């Protein structure tokens, strides 16, 4: 078919009037006029005709010119919006002509894929910007003082101390990452990893990161706790914190922080989930730590979570727990029966950093880090390595 009436072309002789009055095309719109009304190029309208997605109301058999009815405008406008959202034509046709429920399912699926793609692209670009050599990166974040202080307290539990910190000074620091939407605080001592994300009141500048000494950061957080909001200015490896008419400086480090994202990406899907009372689990772990036990075992049976000392060879069965001073807690346990061991000295700080009456444990296997988080606070995550010698029954 030949439509010389193309608003992007040079020949517009067949579009002197929007409404065409010749014979069968009377009252219809030429392809150029219709294209302008619905925001589509004439070439796109020809393509959609060829694909049977948007047929013209009439085609002149002599000239091949296409004509459209005003009643087709809503369909054309919706098609344009779907294509602007990068919906494949097959899916667009399902939305245009399929049942409402099918259309909703198609749109929800595309929305999910779009979000994942955008998040992956954003993360990649932010990572490149953070690590790109040359130039000084700057950012400014406005955040609640008490919220920042709480985040420092939470991740501080995973900062290395003693000999580990002396051997690896970088583990005595907190990684602060700033991107277009949030500020993240990260700490690890190699056996635990804590990540807390904050949604600031405002954020400006480009993605950047810096390493701050935990002692200096803790002191600053104690000062900031009483302030309704504080401004954090980052310039290169330096940070300035303003609030309440005062200003404090924090010096960053040039050390290289462990690649924590690789750990998170390698977690795998959780096969076991346990939700238990935070206070009860903490008391049970603390009691075993105070008693000098170097390892404890968590065992699920039905709706119960059993916490017991780990014997020299490990528990051989549930019946063997009777003589091991086991504490039983009611819990929500999903997945196969589980038995896994922890160093109470590593698990207790992770529990102390949690918020709320319940705690959630997500376990992929006995060989991978276990996610410990508050059941009602997804912005804070702690990873704790289990100890060897036991298995998670699957």
């Amino acid at each position: 078919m030949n439509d010389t009436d193309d608003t992007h072309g040079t020949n517009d002789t067949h579009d002197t009037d929007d409404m065409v009055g010749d014979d069968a095309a009377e009252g219809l719109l030429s392809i150029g006029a219709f294209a302008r009304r619905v925001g589509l190029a004439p070439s796109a309208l020809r393509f959609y005709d060829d694909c049977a997605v948007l047929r013209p109301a009439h085609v002149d058999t002599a000239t091949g010119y296409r004509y459209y009815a005003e009643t087709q405008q809503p369909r054309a406008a919706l098609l344009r919006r779907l294509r602007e959202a990068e919906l494949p034509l097959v899916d667009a046709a399902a939305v245009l002509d399929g049942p409402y429920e099918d259309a909703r399912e198609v749109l929800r699926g595309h929305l999910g894929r779009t979000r994942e793609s955008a998040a992956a692209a954003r993360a990649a670009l932010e990572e490149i910007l953070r690590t790109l050599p040359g130039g000084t990166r700057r950012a400014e974040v406005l955040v609640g003082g008490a919220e920042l202080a709480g985040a420092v307290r939470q991740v501080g539990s995973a900062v290395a101390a003693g000999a580990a910190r002396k051997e690896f000074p970088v583990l005595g620091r907190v990684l602060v990452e700033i991107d277009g939407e949030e500020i993240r605080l990260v700490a690890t001592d190699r056996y635990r990893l804590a990540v807390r994300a904050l949604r600031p009141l405002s954020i400006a500048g480009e993605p950047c990161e810096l390493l701050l000494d935990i002692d200096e950061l803790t002191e600053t957080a104690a000062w900031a706790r009483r302030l309704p909001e504080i401004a954090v200015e980052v310039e290169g490896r330096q940070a300035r914190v303003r609030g309440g008419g005062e200003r404090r400086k924090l010096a960053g480090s040039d050390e290289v922080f462990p690649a924590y994202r690789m750990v998170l990406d390698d977690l795998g899907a959780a096969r076991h989930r346990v939700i238990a009372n935070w206070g009860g689990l903490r008391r049970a772990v603390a009691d075993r730590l105070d008693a000098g036990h170097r390892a404890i075992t968590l065992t699920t049976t039905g709706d119960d979570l059993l916490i017991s000392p780990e014997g020299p060879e490990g528990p051989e069965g549930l019946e063997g727990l009777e003589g091991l001073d086991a504490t039983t807690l009611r819990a929500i346990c999903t997945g196969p029966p589980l038995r896994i061991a922890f160093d109470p000295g590593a698990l207790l700080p992770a529990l102390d950093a949690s918020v709320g009456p319940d705690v959630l444990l997500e376990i992929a296997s006995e060989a991978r880090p276990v996610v410990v988080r508050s059941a009602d606070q997804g912005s804070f995550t702690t990873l704790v390595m289990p100890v060897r010698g036991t298995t998670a029954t699957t």
Side-chain angles (χ1 to χ4, degrees):
M1 296 183 183
N2 297 312
D3 291 299
T4 57
D5 181 14
D6 190 327
T7 57
H8 296 277
T10 58
N11 189 338
D12 199 27
T13 58
H14 296 277
D15 193 27
T16 55
D17 297 308
D18 279 0
M19 305 299 293
V20 178
D22 296 337
D23 301 330
E26 184 177 357
L28 300 179
L29 294 165
S30 67
I31 189 171
F34 188 73
R36 287 193 295 273
R37 290 200 182 189
V38 300
L40 289 169
S43 58
L45 290 175
R46 298 187 192 98
F47 176 75
Y48 295 143
D49 179 15
D50 294 339
C51 296
V53 174
L54 182 60
R55 295 288 199 187
H58 171 69
V59 178
D60 189 305
T61 56
T63 63
Y65 295 158
R66 298 169 173 84
Y67 300 95
Y68 294 83
E70 289 188 318
T71 55
Q72 293 180 284
Q73 291 185 46
R75 179 183 179 91
L78 177 56
L79 177 58
R80 185 197 74 241
R81 292 168 61 193
L82 293 172
R83 297 294 281 169
E84 287 173 348
E86 299 184 357
L87 199 72
L89 198 57
V90 173
D91 290 340
V95 173
L96 291 168
D97 299 319
Y100 286 133
E101 285 305 313
D102 290 352
R104 290 180 181 277
E105 183 177 351
V106 168
L107 292 175
R108 290 192 189 103
H110 185 68
L111 179 60
R113 292 187 296 272
T114 301
R115 284 174 174 167
E116 291 175 0
S117 177
R122 187 185 71 241
L125 291 173
E126 288 170 352
E127 181 68 17
I128 294 171
L129 283 171
R130 278 194 295 269
T131 58
L132 196 66
T136 300
R137 290 177 288 276
R138 297 177 177 85
E140 182 170 346
V141 176
L142 188 66
V143 66
E147 187 179 14
L148 178 63
V152 172
R153 179 191 67 82
Q154 287 181 307
V155 302
S157 65
V159 172
R165 182 171 177 177
K166 185 176 181 179
E167 183 179 1
F168 302 102
V170 69
L171 300 183
R173 303 184 185 278
V174 173
L175 175 66
V176 179
E177 295 181 326
I178 299 173
D179 60 30
E181 295 184 356
E182 64 184 19
I183 176 171
R184 286 180 298 277
L185 281 69
V186 188
T188 182
D189 63 357
R190 296 183 300 171
Y191 303 102
R192 291 168 296 167
L193 171 66
V195 181
R196 174 66 196 276
L198 300 176
R199 288 283 181 172
L201 301 173
S202 66
I203 188 168
E206 58 184 316
C208 57
E209 64 179 36
L210 69 163
L211 280 170
L212 299 177
D213 180 81
I214 182 59
D215 296 329
E216 294 183 10
L217 188 57
T218 300
E219 181 181 347
T220 301
W223 160 75
R225 183 180 292 111
R226 60 184 175 83
L227 301 175
E229 59 186 43
I230 60 170
V232 181
E233 301 173 351
V234 177
E235 184 173 355
R237 297 298 183 185
Q238 306 295 317
R240 293 182 295 273
V241 185
R242 296 184 287 106
E246 298 182 46
R247 183 189 297 265
R248 300 197 174 201
K249 293 184 178 181
L250 294 170
S253 168
D254 292 330
E255 297 167 289
V256 178
F257 194 78
Y260 79 95
R261 293 177 185 271
M262 294 179 61
V263 177
L264 296 178
D265 293 341
D266 194 44
L267 283 177
R271 302 193 66 187
H272 314 266
R273 287 184 173 86
V274 179
I275 300 177
N277 176 262
W278 174 84
L281 181 57
R282 188 200 178 281
R283 282 191 298 272
V285 174
D287 288 346
R288 273 65 184 182
L289 182 62
D290 292 341
H293 295 291
R294 299 180 62 183
I296 58 173
T297 301
L298 272 58
T299 306
T300 61
T301 171
D303 293 327
D304 290 334
L305 174 65
L306 282 70
I307 303 97
S308 63
E310 174 80 337
E313 303 298 331
E316 297 300 330
L318 294 181
E319 63 278 0
L321 295 173
E322 297 177 358
L324 290 176
D325 188 27
T327 297
T328 301
L329 299 177
R330 297 292 291 171
I332 300 174
C333 308
T334 61
L338 167 72
R339 185 180 302 156
I340 192 168
F342 294 94
D343 175 353
L347 182 58
L348 185 60
L351 295 174
D352 283 339
S354 300
V355 176
D358 301 304
V359 64
L360 168 65
L361 307 180
E362 294 182 331
I363 302 123
S365 76
E366 77 283 359
R368 295 191 177 188
V370 172
V371 178
V372 182
R373 69 177 65 177
S374 302
D376 56 356
Q377 187 186 52
S379 61
F380 175 62
T381 298
T382 302
L383 304 184
V384 180
M385 281 299 299
V387 298
R388 297 178 180 178
T390 60
T391 59
T393 305
T394 57

